[in-house]
Amino acid sequence: MGSHLSKQVERRKTIHTEKKTLTDLKTSGEEYPGSEYHPPDRKNWMKDLNPDKTHINQIVWPGTHDSATNKIGVPLITRPFAQCQSLSIYHQLVKGTRLLDIRVQQDRRVCHGILVTYSVDVVVKDVKRFLSETEHEIIILEIRTEFGHEDPPEFEKYLEENLGEFLIHQDDNVFGKTVAELLPRRIICVWKPRKSAQPKAGSILWSAGYLKDNWINTDLPSTKFDGNLKHLSEQAPVTGRKYFYRVENTVTPVADNPVLCVKPVTRRIHGYARLFIAQCFQKGFADRIQVFSTDFIDDDFVDACVGLTYARVEGKT
């Protein structure tokens, strides 16, 4: 008992030290090309940046982590341990989110670990509602079978039947095209089954290799921040890649820590998105930033991503 208590005391000291490290780093500045830009209409921010000028590989995609968890589990009981977003899929898209991370189980219900929520039909309905209200916004829709679960049967067919008219075919040339050149198709759908076959080359769906990341499972904010910088620095510039690379501005509850609810843990890093982008510029690899995701997405996170996109499109980087 005594050793466990001592370990927890040391853990809290480490967390405090790492939070202070990031706070102190803020004194180096959070400005970067485009940081002053705020989209006049987050719902239509791609349209406002000019679809004829905006190339897919110039976009910094604001993403959400575990996107469809706003109603997961039982309120006040299990939900705090798995909820990573408070907004519906539709309202995330309206706020400016352009990459969605959806986890499913065998019966097509969305899940996060062992906790479940609504059917993926709800996600599809929200996405289609958003697309019906906009004309120029492109979405990356990542759907994967959650770890420890079986693939939903005939799911590729389900996606094609429900989203087929909007789907952008798997094609390496997409990365160099403008938003306008892809329209009227609007969704890059990355399907990541666990056991079923991956979508084939040229398919209407995109395979797992087109959306990569280096997941760092930690609740320590500076450790995650530095790890993200390291892994991003090892990528090629966006203009030389034929895949999307994601950085997640999140930290995760871990089993040996008394704080297991998502929100208080992820807040340790949540406010440092602009600092991360600024550090990428200072270290010379801001040209690698592409997909940037967060828990509990807010206006400032979206603006941080859109601002850098604006600077790239206008040749200010």
Side-chain angles (χ1 to χ4, degrees):
M1 180 68 179
S3 62
H4 177 75
L5 181 60
S6 176
K7 183 179 179 181
Q8 293 305 320
V9 170
E10 288 303 313
R11 186 74 175 178
R12 288 182 177 276
K13 287 181 180 179
T14 301
I15 292 169
H16 175 77
T17 299
E18 294 218 1
K19 289 166 70 175
K20 187 176 185 303
T21 297
L22 292 183
T23 300
D24 292 346
L25 190 59
K26 269 195 172 186
T27 61
S28 65
E30 295 182 295
E31 292 73 36
Y32 53 85
S35 61
E36 77 290 345
Y37 180 81
H38 297 278
D41 177 9
R42 293 184 184 89
K43 185 177 181 178
N44 290 283
W45 66 260
M46 289 187 179
K47 174 185 176 182
D48 293 335
L49 293 185
N50 190 343
D52 291 306
K53 290 176 59 179
T54 305
H55 289 78
I56 295 302
N57 60 13
Q58 292 177 308
I59 296 170
V60 180
W61 304 77
T64 49
H65 167 242
D66 267 303
S67 306
T69 54
N70 58 306
K71 293 186 177 180
I72 199 161
V74 180
L76 303 177
I77 300 175
T78 57
R79 185 170 298 171
F81 300 104
Q83 184 184 36
C84 298
Q85 306 297 329
S86 56
L87 300 175
S88 68
I89 294 298
Y90 170 75
H91 286 104
Q92 288 176 45
L93 293 169
V94 169
K95 188 173 283 292
T97 300
R98 292 296 177 268
L99 179 136
L100 299 170
D101 160 23
I102 309 298
R103 323 284 180 91
V104 295
Q105 60 182 26
Q106 191 171 14
D107 61 1
R108 296 183 186 166
R109 293 176 72 187
V110 175
C111 60
H112 184 183
I114 62 172
L115 297 180
V116 297
T117 182
Y118 42 71
S119 167
V120 75
D121 293 345
V122 175
V123 174
V124 170
K125 181 180 178 181
D126 275 9
V127 167
K128 292 171 81 170
R129 177 186 173 189
F130 174 76
L131 295 179
S132 73
E133 296 174 358
T134 57
E135 296 180 358
H136 301 89
E137 307 306 299
I138 304 292
I139 299 168
I140 300 175
L141 175 61
E142 177 197 28
I143 305 185
R144 70 176 93 172
T145 303
E146 177 68 306
F147 180 78
H149 292 271
E150 297 295 320
D151 298 324
E154 298 188 318
F155 197 64
E156 194 165 330
K157 179 181 178 183
Y158 167 84
L159 292 172
E160 291 183 15
E161 289 178 348
N162 285 275
L163 296 171
E165 64 182 298
F166 303 106
L167 296 178
I168 298 166
H169 285 246
Q170 182 187 141
D171 179 1
D172 286 357
N173 294 317
V174 163
F175 295 93
K177 291 185 176 181
T178 64
V179 169
E181 288 176 311
L182 297 181
L183 299 175
R185 295 187 178 266
R186 312 274 298 282
I187 302 175
I188 296 171
C189 185
V190 182
W191 164 226
K192 297 181 176 181
R194 291 212 163 266
K195 296 180 181 178
S196 305
Q198 290 281 330
K200 297 178 181 178
S203 167
I204 201 168
L205 302 175
W206 296 60
S207 55
Y210 282 103
L211 177 56
K212 301 180 181 182
D213 54 35
N214 291 97
W215 174 250
I216 303 168
N217 187 31
T218 181
D219 63 347
L220 300 175
S222 182
T223 296
K224 184 64 172 282
F225 190 95
D226 291 342
N228 282 341
L229 288 171
K230 176 182 180 294
H231 289 304
L232 183 63
S233 72
E234 296 166 350
Q235 305 303 311
V238 292
T239 53
R241 292 204 302 253
K242 300 299 182 184
Y243 60 89
F244 297 99
Y245 183 78
R246 170 172 50 202
V247 172
E248 297 201 280
N249 189 59
T250 63
V251 286
T252 309
V254 294
D256 66 345
N257 193 288
V259 182
L260 296 177
C261 297
V262 173
K263 185 170 283 189
V265 172
T266 202
R267 279 177 179 165
R268 296 170 188 168
I269 199 171
H270 190 270
Y272 297 101
R274 289 182 179 273
L275 179 63
F276 183 85
I277 297 174
Q279 284 292 301
C280 290
F281 273 97
Q282 291 185 29
K283 295 177 182 297
F285 48 81
D287 58 352
R288 326 282 168 95
I289 304 172
Q290 191 171 37
V291 177
F292 202 22
S293 291
T294 189
D295 293 324
F296 302 102
I297 196 163
D298 56 25
D299 293 345
D300 189 66
F301 186 89
V302 171
D303 291 2
C305 297
V306 178
L308 179 51
T309 305
Y310 165 79
R312 286 177 173 176
V313 172
E314 297 300 320
K316 297 182 178 182
T317 58

